[in-house]
């Protein structure tokens, strides 16, 4: 099993926490996969088929046994029925024989000589169909008289009775010995039609005066005995009932024509003097598989059972296929979630987190288990404490609102190292299989990179604006420099000319004074005005020299601006900030004095510690002059102005640790209103009647050309404004030079 794909790298200081979170997330996913991994994936096809083969084999064995047992039971039932039939027939025969014996005993009380004898014998013969003949024999068993059954042909028509007397004689001897009625063995009496009858004799001893006087012999047809028994019971008619000999030969038969010879039962009929075997042979053959109802039921159930097993197997196969599809879709989903850089988070209706993906854990630097353990109303660890109340309220409203549509909102999350970062959260209702709303599924986008790109593009935009400003200012500057160069050159040459003239005039006056003194005339009178004239001339000369100096400076500025906007190679030099300030201070002080403003310098001590910068000196001096002039004007121009005692302009410089130098120009004016601040650096924006609105725009362009930034903030205690800009400090090698 593969571990889930590595989540995006966490920030360095949260690496350990993120690694822990990843490990926990991986363990969770492993458990999840093991739970869902279907059994068929682990077993081979043979092992998978084995339980089914065993089940089918068991079923086959059970069914066979069931069928065999049912067959056996059916056979046993058939035998029991046959046995009962044989017993019933035997008992019926026994009852008949007893009845005949009793009737014959009545006859023994008479003798053939008596007139009633014949009538009694006839009555007995009529009532008992199996009785075929009754004989009276003397004490020596010789026949005295015999009466044949009136309704049947005479028995001994073909063979004389005398020839077949062995059995009755033996029976009578036995009867005499036992002094009780005795049966003879059976014997066959043939008839004229080629058939014959199997008969037995019953010999009853006749006593007269306590002595054996004669014998009464009754001949019974076995066929008749059987017929009488079978006639009385319908049950017996389903069998072939027969008297058989010990070797199996049939002596007489009744019931159905022929038994099947399968279900055969015998009963021994023990008669005094002889015993008969009575056999019942069922007409039914061996129990067939189908005709029996029980068997049909068992077989039907077995087939149904097999059908159910087959259906079950098909169902199991479909389930396995469905499980495989499910497992594959789960793996697909897992891979998709692991590859996502978007955080996924699910919450239930109580607001508790029920699922997070690895990207979410990596984003906030907290493991999944820790997130699952958070129970609302406790805030999750990625909510910044200062916003927890606001978010709790928002969550409460959202959860109370029911299943609204997909919704997106921006939030600030906190990583485990405390770093705040903006995120975009899109949430949609989470529905279960029945469509019930069970919670919310949210995707969380980390906006940090997007914000960085936005910042970059804003800076780009500002640079573009700066370039545009430069172009505008450049056009103006080119025009101005062209237009102003001529008058400035004229001013410079006129002032030089004036100075020259003043020089010549002064020399002439001195010469005239010298001549007058030499003449000694009215020396005191004109002396005072001459001294005054000389003083004025000296002042004029000084003023003219300044005019020439400033005109030259103005020319330099214009040239510098011109060069600057034309993007000519700038004159970058390494210079101490104190020197830059020194160059502008005389002019600044002049303006400050006029406005009653105190100028304060704040530079690191000793002088050697004053930071140095690499810059176009003239342009930076212009920036300083502009900012200082704006500050002074703010203090004197405010309604009512800043009280004189508080008017102070601060010029400060500090080296920043990252290779930059920050220069501050602070005032105690009225500050900058927000609506003014928004347009401050826009070219030609001014609040002053005589202003041009180009100063700050130009200043920012100059600073940005050096790679620095120009910004402002309220002064200490919210009083006044503090403009500050940065310039690059020389690199260590350059500083050494
Ligand atoms: P100008 O000085 O010609 O008006 P600037 O670009 O130098 O043009 O300044 C633009 C506007 O910025 C000024 O009109 C003023 O309203 C405002 N401003 C500049 N500096 C300050 C300051 N130190 N205090 C207050 N407002 C200032």
């Amino acid at each position: 099993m593969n571990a889930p794909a590595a989540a995006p790298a966490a920030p360095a200081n949260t690496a350990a926490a993120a690694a822990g979170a990843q490990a926990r997330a991986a363990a969770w996913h492993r458990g999840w996969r093991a739970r869902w991994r279907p059994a068929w994936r682990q077993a081979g096809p043979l092992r998978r088929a084995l339980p089914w083969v065993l089940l089918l084999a068991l079923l086959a064995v059970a069914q066979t046994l069931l069928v065999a047992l049912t067959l056996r039971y059916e056979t046993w039932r058939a035998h029991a029925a046959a046995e009962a039939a044989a017993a019933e027939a035997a008992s019926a025969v026994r009852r008949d024989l007893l009845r005949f014996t009793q009737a014959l005993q009545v006859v023994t009380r008479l003798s053939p000589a008596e007139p009633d004898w014949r009538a009694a014998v006839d009555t007995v013969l009529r009532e008992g169909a199996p009785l075929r003949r009754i004989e009276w024999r003397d004490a020596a068993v010789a026949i005295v008289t015999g009466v044949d059954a009136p309704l049947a042909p005479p028995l001994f028509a073909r063979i004389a009775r005398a020839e077949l007397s062995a059995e009755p004689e033996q029976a009578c001897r036995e009867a005499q010995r036992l002094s009780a009625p005795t049966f003879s063995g059976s014997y066959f009496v043939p008839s004229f039609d080629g058939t014959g009858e199997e008969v037995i004799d019953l010999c009853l001893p006749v006593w007269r005066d306590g002595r054996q006087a004669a014998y009464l012999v009754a001949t019974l047809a076995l066929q008749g005995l059987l017929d009488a028994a079978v006639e009385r019971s319908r049950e017996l008619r389903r069998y072939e009932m027969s008297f058989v000999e010990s070797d199996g030969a049939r002596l007489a038969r009744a019931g159905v024509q022929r038994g099947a010879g399968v279900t055969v039962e015998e009963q021994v009929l023990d008669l005094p003097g002889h015993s008969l075997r009575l056999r019942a042979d069922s007409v039914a053959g061996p129990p067939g598989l189908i005709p029996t109802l029980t068997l049909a039921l068992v077989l039907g159930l077995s087939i149904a059972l097999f059908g159910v097993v087959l259906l079950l197997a098909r169902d199991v196969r479909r389930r396995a296929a469905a499980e495989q599809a499910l497992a594959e879709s789960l793996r697909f989903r897992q891979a998709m979630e692991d590859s996502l850089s978007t955080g996924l988070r699910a919450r239930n209706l109580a607001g508790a987190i029920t699922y997070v993906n690895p990207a979410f854990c990596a984003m906030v630097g907290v493991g999944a288990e820790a997130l699952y353990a958070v129970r609302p109303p406790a805030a999750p660890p990625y909510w910044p404490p200062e916003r927890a109340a606001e978010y709790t309220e928002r969550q409460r409203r959202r959860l109370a609102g029911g299943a609204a549509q997909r919704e997106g909102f921006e939030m600030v999350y906190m990583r485990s190292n405390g770093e705040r970062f903006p995120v975009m959260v899109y949430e949609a209702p989470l529905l279960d299989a029945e469509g019930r709303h069970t919670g919310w599924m949210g995707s969380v986008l980390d906006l940090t990179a997007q914000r960085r790109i936005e910042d970059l593009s804003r800076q780009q935009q500002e640079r573009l604006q700066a370039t545009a400003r430069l172009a505008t200012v450049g056009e103006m500057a080119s025009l101005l420099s062209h237009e102003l160069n001529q008058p400035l050159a004229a001013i410079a040459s006129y002032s030089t000319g004036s100075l020259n003239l003043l020089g010549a005039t002064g020399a002439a006056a001195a010469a005239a004074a010298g001549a007058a003194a030499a003449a000694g005339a009215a020396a005191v009178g004109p002396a005072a005005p001459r001294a005054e004239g000389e003083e004025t001339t000296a002042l004029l000369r000084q003023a003219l020299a300044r005019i020439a100096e400033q005109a030259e400076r103005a020319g330099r500025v214009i040239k510098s601006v011109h060069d600057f906007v034309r993007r000519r190679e700038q004159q970058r030099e390494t210079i101490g900030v104190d020197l830059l300030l020194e160059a502008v201070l005389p002019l600044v002080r002049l303006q400050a004095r006029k406005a009653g403003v105190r100028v304060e310098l704040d530079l690191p001590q000793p002088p050697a510690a004053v930071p140095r910068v690499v810059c176009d000196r003239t342009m930076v001096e212009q920036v300083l002059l502009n900012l200082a002039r704006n500050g002074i004007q703010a203090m004197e121009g405010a309604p009512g102005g800043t009280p004189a005692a508080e008017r102070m302009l601060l010029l400060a410089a500090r080296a920043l640790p990252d290779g930059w130098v920050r220069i501050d120009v602070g005032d105690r004016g009225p500050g900058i209103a927000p609506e003014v601040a928004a347009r401050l650096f826009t070219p030609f924006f001014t609040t002053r009647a005589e202003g041009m609105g180009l100063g700050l725009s130009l200043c920012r362009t100059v600073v940005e050309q050096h790679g620095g930034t120009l910004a402002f903030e309220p002064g200490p205690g919210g009083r006044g404004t503090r403009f500050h800009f940065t310039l690059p400090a020389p690199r260590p090698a350059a500083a050494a030079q």
Side-chain angles (χ1 to χ4, degrees):
M1 187 177 294
N2 296 329
N13 45 3
T14 60
Q22 277 182 23
R24 277 194 298 280
W28 184 80
H29 284 298
R30 268 199 299 279
W32 180 77
R33 285 177 183 185
R35 271 203 304 282
W36 281 98
R37 188 174 183 137
W40 64 267
R41 297 284 293 169
Q42 291 162 355
L46 261 179
R47 277 182 67 184
R48 240 173 26 239
L50 193 63
W52 288 106
V53 170
L54 280 177
L55 181 65
L56 284 174
L58 275 176
L59 258 176
V61 169
Q63 297 308 323
T64 314
L65 268 177
L66 205 59
V67 169
L69 284 175
T70 312
L71 277 175
R72 226 174 112 171
Y73 169 72
E74 289 294 322
T75 312
W76 171 83
R77 246 177 33 147
H79 276 278
E83 199 177 339
E88 189 186 339
S91 129
V93 169
R94 212 176 276 125
R95 265 199 319 275
D96 280 351
L97 289 177
L98 187 65
R99 196 158 49 85
F100 296 149
T101 310
Q102 283 167 351
L104 288 170
Q105 263 169 348
V106 172
V107 174
T108 57
R109 288 198 203 108
L110 303 170
S111 64
E114 291 174 58
D116 293 344
W117 186 82
R118 180 64 194 235
V121 167
D122 277 348
T123 309
V124 173
L125 283 174
R126 257 197 202 92
E127 280 176 8
L131 284 170
R132 299 300 301 277
R133 183 184 166 85
I134 296 176
E135 293 169 348
W136 188 269
R137 294 191 181 220
D138 60 15
V141 202
I143 299 171
V144 176
T145 179
V147 182
D148 283 310
L151 302 176
L155 193 61
F156 298 102
R158 186 169 168 199
I159 298 177
R161 174 62 168 156
E163 288 174 33
L164 294 169
S165 259
E167 265 82 9
E169 283 166 13
Q170 196 185 345
C172 285
R173 271 193 294 280
E174 191 68 14
Q176 186 203 4
R177 195 175 60 82
L178 295 174
S179 301
T182 306
F183 287 90
S184 71
S186 71
Y187 57 95
F188 187 73
V189 181
S191 60
F192 283 113
D193 57 1
T195 59
E197 249 184 304
E198 192 77 20
V199 295
I200 55 168
D201 290 325
L202 168 62
C203 183
L204 291 96
V206 180
W207 296 85
R208 293 283 186 269
D209 307 325
R211 189 169 68 75
Q212 174 77 52
Y215 297 96
L216 190 69
V217 175
T219 306
L220 294 130
L222 288 183
Q223 184 65 51
L225 276 175
L226 264 185
D227 285 343
V230 170
E231 246 165 44
R232 262 177 267 143
S233 166
R234 188 181 277 184
E235 184 63 25
L236 297 184
R237 280 177 224 153
R238 289 170 49 222
Y239 295 88
E240 179 197 343
M241 305 301 298
S242 52
F243 284 116
V244 290
E245 284 185 326
S246 52
D247 62 356
R250 280 192 194 81
L251 303 175
R253 164 192 299 160
V256 292
Q257 269 297 318
R258 197 161 191 86
V262 176
T263 316
V264 180
E265 286 296 330
E266 286 186 1
Q267 280 279 324
V268 175
L269 203 65
D270 269 326
L271 302 174
H274 184 64
S275 48
L276 282 171
R277 286 154 70 101
L278 184 63
R279 172 188 284 181
D281 185 352
S282 172
V283 74
L289 272 182
I290 297 305
T292 322
L293 183 67
T294 328
L295 263 177
L297 266 176
V298 168
L299 276 178
L301 281 177
S302 304
I303 290 167
L305 205 61
F306 268 106
V308 168
V309 167
L310 285 179
L311 282 178
L312 211 64
R314 205 177 63 170
D315 185 54
V316 166
R317 214 180 48 241
R318 283 190 182 160
R319 265 165 195 273
E323 270 185 16
Q324 184 181 12
L326 181 67
E328 270 169 19
S329 79
L330 281 174
R331 276 164 175 268
F332 180 80
R333 204 191 81 171
Q334 188 61 41
M336 200 169 71
E337 284 171 14
D338 290 349
S339 70
L340 274 182
S341 62
T342 307
L344 290 179
R345 176 204 59 187
R347 294 189 293 171
N348 62 18
L349 287 178
I353 296 171
T354 53
Y355 167 74
V356 284
N357 71 341
F360 188 87
C361 294
M363 194 186 290
V364 297
V366 183
E369 295 305 323
L371 292 173
Y372 297 150
V374 178
R375 296 267 148 257
Y382 51 81
W383 282 4
E386 67 274 11
R387 289 179 180 249
E390 177 197 337
Y391 289 173
T392 308
E393 175 58 19
R394 186 211 294 245
Q395 175 159 311
R396 195 191 59 72
R397 266 189 279 119
R398 178 123 178 84
L399 295 176
Q405 286 308 301
R406 180 187 153 98
E407 195 177 72
F409 43 88
E410 216 178 304
M411 294 177 80
V412 174
Y413 277 5
M414 184 175 77
R415 296 191 216 279
S416 57
N417 63 353
E419 182 196 336
R420 271 66 166 168
F421 62 104
V423 292
M424 190 71 197
V425 182
Y426 295 100
E427 271 201 330
L430 201 59
L431 304 178
D432 68 4
E434 275 92 43
R436 276 193 306 261
H437 181 209
T438 57
W440 302 92
M441 187 68 187
S443 58
V444 182
L445 286 174
D446 188 345
L447 297 181
T448 314
Q450 190 184 327
R451 285 290 143 82
R452 202 174 296 138
I453 290 168
E454 280 172 12
D455 277 355
L456 270 176
S457 106
R458 196 170 48 247
Q459 282 171 17
Q460 204 78 29
Q461 200 67 30
E462 279 175 9
R463 269 202 204 105
L464 271 175
Q465 281 175 6
T467 315
R469 272 198 307 274
L470 198 66
T472 316
V473 174
E475 289 303 315
M476 295 261 323
S478 307
L479 195 70
L480 284 175
S481 60
H482 183 259
E483 292 301 321
L484 292 180
N485 256 340
Q486 310 256 344
L488 277 174
I491 290 169
S493 58
Y494 278 125
S495 58
T496 315
S498 301
L499 275 174
N500 289 343
L501 272 176
L502 271 178
T505 317
V524 178
R530 203 162 42 242
E532 231 174 83
E534 272 173 21
E535 197 179 332
T536 309
T537 310
L539 280 174
L540 262 174
R541 193 177 293 124
Q542 195 183 354
L544 282 170
R546 288 277 156 82
I547 288 171
E549 202 179 290
Q550 289 304 322
E552 193 189 332
R553 179 181 163 77
R556 269 206 323 274
V557 168
I558 284 169
K559 182 173 182 303
S560 182
V561 169
H562 188 77
D563 289 350
F564 178 72
V565 298
R566 291 271 168 212
R567 293 190 176 278
R568 287 193 191 125
E569 194 51 39
Q570 290 169 26
Q571 300 296 310
R572 294 273 166 98
E573 56 186 300
T574 303
I575 183 171
V577 176
D578 49 348
L579 287 181
L580 281 174
L581 292 177
E582 255 170 44
V584 296
L585 265 176
L587 262 177
V588 171
R589 285 220 163 89
L590 195 66
Q591 287 178 8
R593 206 176 310 129
K594 273 192 215 149
V597 173
R598 202 168 75 247
V599 177
E600 276 191 15
L601 279 183
D602 179 11
L603 291 174
Q605 291 299 329
V610 173
R612 291 158 66 79
V613 291
V614 182
C615 65
D616 182 335
R617 177 182 179 162
T618 318
M619 294 308 292
V620 173
E621 282 172 12
Q622 281 308 116
V623 171
L624 279 170
L625 272 175
N626 251 314
L627 294 180
R629 195 188 60 229
N630 278 353
I632 293 166
Q633 284 172 349
M635 283 187 274
E636 67 177 351
T642 308
E646 290 178 18
R647 292 183 181 182
M648 192 268 280
L649 186 79
L650 175 77
L651 296 170
R654 285 280 177 280
L656 298 178
D658 51 0
W660 291 86
V661 174
R662 168 171 157 152
I663 299 169
D664 286 30
V665 181
D667 63 65
R668 290 190 178 170
I672 296 174
E675 64 275 13
V676 175
R679 305 179 56 203
L680 206 61
F681 296 103
T682 315
F684 306 111
F685 169 76
T686 179
T687 58
R688 282 192 284 271
E690 72 283 10
M692 278 276 288
L694 276 175
L696 284 177
S697 163
L698 203 59
C699 287
R700 181 180 248 199
T701 308
V702 168
V703 172
E704 281 171 356
Q705 285 290 324
H706 283 83
T709 52
L710 170 64
F712 66 94
E713 62 195 24
R719 290 183 58 202
T721 315
R722 183 169 274 212
F723 277 87
H724 50 84
F725 61 94
T726 50
L727 289 174
R731 281 194 297 259
Q737 278 174 13

